[in-house]
């Protein structure tokens, strides 16, 4: 955006300079030519006045000396001709001896009592010549003519120098305009960039992000204030909803526990006919308890502050979680394999434990009897400038389709209708993603080979690992 603004400013400045300097240069050239022509005409009339008596035949002025003196002073060529067009003096003759200029148009016009001027090329000098021819008259009688010619190379040099001056002025103007454009562009774009950063952070869930309101044009400041107001209201609304979910979940746990205990006490007092209904009621209470626990965990994950992360040895955490789930794995006739990696991540230990517990619960639910649930870690190969570690967990269950994987992190979404004692509320993966993102990571679902599901938890590598790389 800065580049586009600078280019726009410079383009506008360049258009203004072109519109001003080109007419100025052309006007200067015409004015210089008119001034030179006027000077030559004035000098020609002065020389004509000096040579009048001599061309009339009553004076003894040395016309050749007069012509040579003028040429020495000004560089212009002077030719004196009599009434017949014969040369009487020439300050720069092309050939020696008598010559006649009567056929020259400017001399012919001067001998006809007309002042003649113009430009003609000179093959001898290799440049154009500006000439002026005036008649030499006395009492209405023409006694001859004077022609002064002057090479336009000096005039062209002055015009060229003026164009260079205009070019220098344009370069300086463009440089100053570029500096001002950079300042103005940054003044405008910096608050816009801050707005973009704040809006991106808010869109990613950081509802406490705010845009600065003290810089930039008034319109940008007003936009920043409006964004901050919207973000504040959204944060209040989300906080209220999350607080309600957390409070409601917490308050529901006690009556659900009491209800389950009462149902268990009734087992010895009901007959065989009501036993089935009682077991079903206990199952529904357990399902509601899991749902309330999931809602409470999700609310806590939403409201969890960014705690101080620590360096964690992945192998140690995986080994501990494998030991904690060994009883469930044995009961379900599964085999849990942990592949050592020697990697370390930067994360919150409690969050990582909860993430792995949720993933292991899902894997144990999905894995068929006698299959293997695998866990391990590897360096991520995603092109990120900051090294990341992928903690992966794989099962050999039915897996999920691509559409199901895209919806698996939605709250209350379940791939099927079956529920077990380990899960079934549809909140587990939503909680996992919340917890992982709170530690600056992310989670992804992939199809395992040859079948099943692979869950990848991507977390920042520990600084020690980064130094090794």
């Amino acid at each position: 955006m800065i580049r586009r603004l600078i280019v726009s400013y410079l383009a506008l400045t360049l258009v203004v300079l072109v519109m001003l300097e080109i007419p100025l240069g052309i006007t200067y050239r015409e004015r210089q030519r008119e001034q030179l022509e006027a000077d030559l005409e004035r000098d020609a009339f002065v020389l004509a006045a000096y040579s009048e008596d001599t061309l009339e035949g009553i004076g003894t002025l040395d016309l050749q000396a007069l012509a040579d003196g003028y040429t020495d002073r000004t560089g212009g060529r002077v030719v004196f001709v009599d009434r017949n067009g014969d040369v009487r003096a020439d300050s720069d003759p092309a050939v020696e001896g008598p010559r006649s200029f009567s056929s020259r148009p400017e001399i012919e016009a001067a001998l006809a009592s007309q002042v003649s001027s113009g430009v003609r090329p000179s093959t001898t000098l290799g440049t154009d010549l500006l000439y002026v021819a005036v008649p030499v008259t006395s009492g209405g009688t023409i006694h001859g003519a004077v022609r002064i010619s002057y090479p336009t190379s000096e005039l062209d040099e002055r015009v060229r120098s003026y164009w260079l001056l205009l070019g220098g002025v344009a370069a300086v103007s463009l440089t100053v305009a570029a500096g001002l454009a950079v300042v103005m562009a940054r003044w405008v774009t910096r608050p816009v960039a801050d707005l973009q950063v704040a809006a991106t952070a808010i869109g990613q869930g950081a509802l406490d992000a705010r845009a600065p309101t003290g810089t930039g044009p008034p319109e940008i400041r007003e936009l920043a204030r409006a964004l901050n107001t919207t973000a504040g209201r959204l944060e209040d609304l989300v906080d209220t909803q999350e607080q309600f979910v957390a409070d409601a979940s917490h308050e529901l746990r006690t009556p659900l526990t009491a209800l389950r205990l009462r149902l268990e006490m009734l087992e010895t007092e009901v007959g065989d006919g009501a036993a089935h209904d009682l077991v079903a009621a206990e199952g529904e209470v357990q399902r509601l308890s899991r749902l309330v626990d999931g809602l409470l965990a999700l609310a806590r994950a939403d409201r969890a502050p960014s705690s101080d992360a620590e360096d964690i040895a992945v192998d140690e955490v995986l080994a501990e979680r494998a030991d904690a789930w060994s009883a469930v794995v044995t009961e379900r006739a599964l085999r849990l394999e942990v592949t050592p990696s020697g990697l370390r991540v930067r994360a919150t230990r409690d969050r990582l434990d909860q993430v792995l517990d949720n993933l292991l619960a899902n894997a144990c639910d999905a894995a068929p009897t006698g299959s293997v649930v695998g866990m391990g870690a590897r360096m991520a190969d995603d092109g990120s400038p900051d090294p990341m570690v992928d903690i992966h967990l794989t099962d050999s269950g039915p897996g999920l389709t691509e559409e199901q994987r895209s919806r698996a992190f939605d709250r209350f979404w379940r791939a099927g209708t079956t529920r077990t004692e380990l899960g079934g509320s549809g909140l587990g993966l939503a909680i996992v993603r919340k917890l992982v993102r709170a530690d600056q990571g992310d989670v992804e679902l992939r199809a395992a080979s040859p079948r099943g599901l692979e869950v990848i938890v991507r977390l920042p590598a520990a600084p020690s690992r980064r130094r090794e790389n």
Side-chain angles (χ1 to χ4, degrees), residues 187-246:
W187 180 64
V188 172
T189 58
R190 186 171 298 165
V192 173
D194 293 338
L195 276 174
Q196 182 180 6
V197 171
T200 301
I202 293 171
Q204 292 176 347
L207 300 181
D208 58 342
R210 296 293 183 269
T213 58
T215 58
E219 295 82 3
I220 300 297
R221 298 183 200 176
E222 186 63 29
L223 181 59
R225 284 191 288 269
L227 176 64
N228 291 342
T229 300
T230 302
R233 292 176 178 175
L234 181 60
E235 183 180 17
D236 293 341
L237 178 61
V238 172
D239 286 345
T240 301
Q241 291 178 341
E242 292 176 352
Q243 185 63 49
F244 171 76
V245 172

Side-chain angles (χ1 to χ4, degrees), residues 409-422:
F409 295 102
D410 295 345
R411 298 179 181 184
F412 302 106
W413 183 88
R414 289 177 288 105
T417 59
T418 60
R419 306 183 182 94
T420 70
E421 65 275 12
L422 294 177

Side-chain angles (χ1 to χ4, degrees), residues 3 75 103 114 136 176 191 205 258 266 268 271 281 347 362 400 413 419 466:
R3 182 180 301 177
S103 60
Q114 298 177 3
V136 179
V176 174
L266 288 175
T268 59
N362 289 341
L400 298 175
W413 183 88
R419 306 183 182 94
R466 296 178 189 179

Side-chain angles (χ1 to χ4, degrees), residues 173-184:
S173 300
L174 287 175
T175 302
V176 174
L180 293 176
V182 170
V183 174
M184 291 293 295

Side-chain angles (χ1 to χ4, degrees), residues 5-85:
L5 288 175
I6 293 175
V7 171
S8 300
Y9 292 148
L10 291 181
L12 180 60
T13 303
L14 183 61
V15 170
V16 173
L17 288 173
V18 169
M19 294 179 64
L20 289 177
E21 292 193 352
I22 289 182
L24 189 61
I26 295 175
T27 301
Y28 177 81
R29 182 177 182 277
E30 296 298 326
R31 188 172 66 250
Q32 288 295 313
R33 177 176 172 176
E34 292 174 359
Q35 183 64 42
L36 178 60
E37 187 174 335
D39 292 343
L40 292 180
E41 185 175 337
R42 181 198 63 207
D43 293 347
F45 275 111
V46 171
L47 292 175
Y50 275 107
S51 64
E52 179 184 335
D53 292 342
T54 301
L55 291 176
E56 187 178 355
I58 59 176
T60 58
L61 181 65
D62 187 349
L63 296 181
Q64 187 63 47
L66 179 62
D68 292 340
Y70 181 84
T71 299
D72 292 339
R73 291 192 305 272
T74 64
R77 178 186 178 186
V78 180
V79 176
F80 291 99
V81 299
D82 58 18
R83 66 171 58 91
N84 297 319

Side-chain angles (χ1 to χ4, degrees), residues 160-180:
R160 188 178 301 110
S161 299
Y162 189 74
W163 278 112
L164 291 177
L165 176 62
L166 292 178
V169 171
V172 172
S173 300
L174 287 175
T175 302
V176 174
L180 293 176

Side-chain angles (χ1 to χ4, degrees), residues 23 35 58 85 102 110 133 238 261 297 338 342 351 374 380 384 389 397 401 434 450:
Q35 183 64 42
I58 59 176
S102 59
V238 172
L261 292 175
V338 178
R351 288 175 179 165
S384 174
V389 173
T401 65
K434 279 290 182 181

